[in-house]
Amino acid sequence: MKKQQLLFYTFIGLLFTFSAHTSANTIKTAMPDTQELSSEESTHHQKLITAGGTITEIVFALGAGERVIAVDQSSQYPEAVKQLPMVGYYRELAAEGVLSFAPDKILAIEGVGRQEVIKQIESTGVQVVVYNKPTSTDGLVALIKQLGDDLGKAEQAEQLIAKFNASLPNENRSESYSETSNNTPPTKAVFLLSASDRGLIAAGTETVPQLIFNYAGIQNIAAKHTGFKGINNEALALQQPDFLVAPRHVVMGAGGKEKFCQSPNLSLLKAAQQCKLLVMDSLQSLGMTPRLADAIATVKNYQLENL
């Protein structure tokens, strides 16, 4: 009898040991030690905040959008970003707001925040990577490649670059915009970043609007200056643009399309009197993004349909 009891308790002990060992292995398989993750796997598990609409758009285009936990206010594309919490405008980030999301890394465009804020964020161990703001197609290609490398999405970056390059029409780089063979004068336009009581601010050379106009074969009548600068309304009236272009947030801030056209500083322009105003997506018209071809097509189609 004692021998049978001994065998029974021995069997129970072995059974318990086997069960415990099996459970431990099951738990280890289901919850791997993060220290055992490769650097590539660690990258794929990082929680990201993107600051700058161009950065956000590219990150999502590369298929890394599921890692983004918050964005800045300039990030409005794709639609999925509108479901994410915001951390303010990228130039005015607050360390407390950013850190409340406990990110692993912040991917930001040039001009992000104040230096003291960036240093405060980095002092907590959060990495802040700042990328150059692209002002040309070559700059955009370089940015896509760099983000692809940093996100472990190099193959997707190459595919996006190929798609972007294939989407672009031939650029009209003519400085003179001479009349065409049938003596039709070139179409003239101006991109306005502001048309308030304080005056007009127009996009000159070395801007995204200038690049869009070049590809669309449209003469930018503010091309005598570089960047976004004030332009005299009387000087603009002498040029008489065929149509006006403005970003959506500026037009909406003025009270809508009709209100924008009724600005006193535009009263001498026939295009304003007839409200020939193309309202464009703000990021698409001001930022260098993979949707550049769409922006060019938008301007070209407006020209064909309204002039």
Side-chain angles (χ1 to χ4, degrees), residues 100-117:
S100 67
F101 292 97
D104 296 310
K105 184 183 290 187
I106 298 171
L107 307 181
I109 199 70
E110 178 185 352
V112 62
R114 301 187 304 276
Q115 281 302 309
E116 57 267 30
V117 172

Side-chain angles (χ1 to χ4, degrees), residues 169 187 212-213 215-218 243-245 277-280 284 292-307:
T187 299
I212 293 172
F213 286 163
Y215 273 108
I218 292 172
F243 69 101
L244 314 174
V245 186
L277 170 66
L278 170 59
V279 182
M280 293 190 67
Q284 199 175 26
L292 178 61
D294 293 338
I296 297 167
T298 297
V299 173
K300 194 65 180 176
N301 289 338
Y302 184 89
Q303 175 194 14
L304 295 173
E305 294 171 5
N306 295 276
L307 302 180

